[in-house]
Amino acid sequence: MDTETTNIVYLMRGLPGCGKSHRAKRLAGENGLVLETDEYFYTQVGTDSTHYDYDKSLLPAARQWNLSRLRDALAAGISPIVIDRGNGLNSETREFAVCAVEQGYKVELAEPDSSWWQELRVLLKYKEFVAEKLFDAWAQKLADSTRAGHRVPASTIRSWMQSWRHDVTVGQILDVQDS
């Protein structure tokens, strides 16, 4: 039996307002670290760290800031590390995964475990059979749940729902090529 501890990075997957952050905190536990790009808009922008000062033009800087934090955490040997964002098939997610793998970390996908996410993920898996009104209702429900924090519009969530891939793997993320 292998008694060596494996350092791990979890890539959280899910839509806004579905419980990613709650699960991320539980996965990190007392000794781990949750890294969230959105934190940049609380701590690095504006003067009030309790206010979400989102500015789309700063998103590239926010992503680089969070990637830098990941590199520092990997170098320090922190485990587990949880990347709390949507994490799909894109170059940003690939960059997080590649950094972790290069430092000898295992990378796993994780999703929220809330009851509403369990219901929604089934709808997303079979979205071609789901009525548009149901998608609209879910998009609005998730948008409403983000009002106190990130304020993600229902139209944005709806778009993400349409492009959601239920079958993404870590291997696919690592194979993403920049376009």
Side-chain angles (χ1 to χ4, degrees):
M1 179 198 269
D2 184 12
T3 58
E4 183 179 324
T5 303
T6 302
N7 287 339
I8 189 162
V9 169
Y10 292 103
L11 301 174
M12 288 302 304
R13 292 197 75 233
L15 297 170
C18 65
K20 287 188 311 295
S21 295
H22 292 289
R23 176 90 194 277
K25 289 174 190 168
R26 289 195 322 274
L27 285 170
E30 291 182 22
N31 299 317
L33 179 64
V34 176
L35 299 177
E36 181 181 13
T37 301
D38 279 337
E39 189 178 328
Y40 180 88
F41 299 104
Y42 283 107
T43 64
Q44 308 299 304
V45 180
T47 57
D48 181 356
S49 64
T50 64
H51 188 261
Y52 185 65
D53 294 302
Y54 181 76
D55 179 341
K56 186 177 182 175
S57 70
L58 296 177
L59 196 50
R63 289 175 174 156
Q64 285 305 307
W65 173 81
N66 206 34
L67 183 61
S68 176
R69 294 173 66 219
L70 172 64
R71 288 184 175 129
D72 291 347
L74 294 169
I78 295 171
S79 182
I81 301 170
V82 186
I83 309 299
D84 185 8
R85 50 184 311 280
N87 290 312
L89 295 176
N90 57 59
S91 59
E92 181 187 356
T93 299
R94 180 183 187 277
E95 199 166 9
F96 281 101
V98 166
C99 282
V101 169
E102 286 176 347
Q103 293 298 314
Y105 278 66
K106 181 178 180 182
V107 176
E108 288 186 9
L109 298 176
E111 293 185 359
D113 53 8
S114 65
S115 59
W116 61 93
W117 177 248
Q118 298 309 313
E119 182 178 337
L120 182 55
R121 69 190 305 271
V122 172
L123 295 177
L124 292 170
K125 182 175 181 177
Y126 299 105
K127 61 186 165 191
E128 66 271 13
F129 304 110
V130 175
E132 293 295 316
K133 286 183 181 182
L134 188 54
F135 260 65
D136 292 340
W138 268 105
Q140 189 59 58
K141 178 180 178 176
L142 293 175
D144 290 347
S145 75
T146 69
R147 275 199 213 291
H150 305 322
R151 301 179 310 272
V152 182
S155 59
T156 300
I157 294 173
R158 181 73 163 83
S159 174
W160 291 340
M161 289 171 74
Q162 284 300 96
S163 61
W164 181 262
R165 294 261 322 261
H166 72 279
D167 57 350
V168 171
T169 66
V170 171
Q172 290 170 323
I173 289 170
L174 290 168
D175 287 341
V176 168
Q177 299 300 313
D178 291 324
S179 36

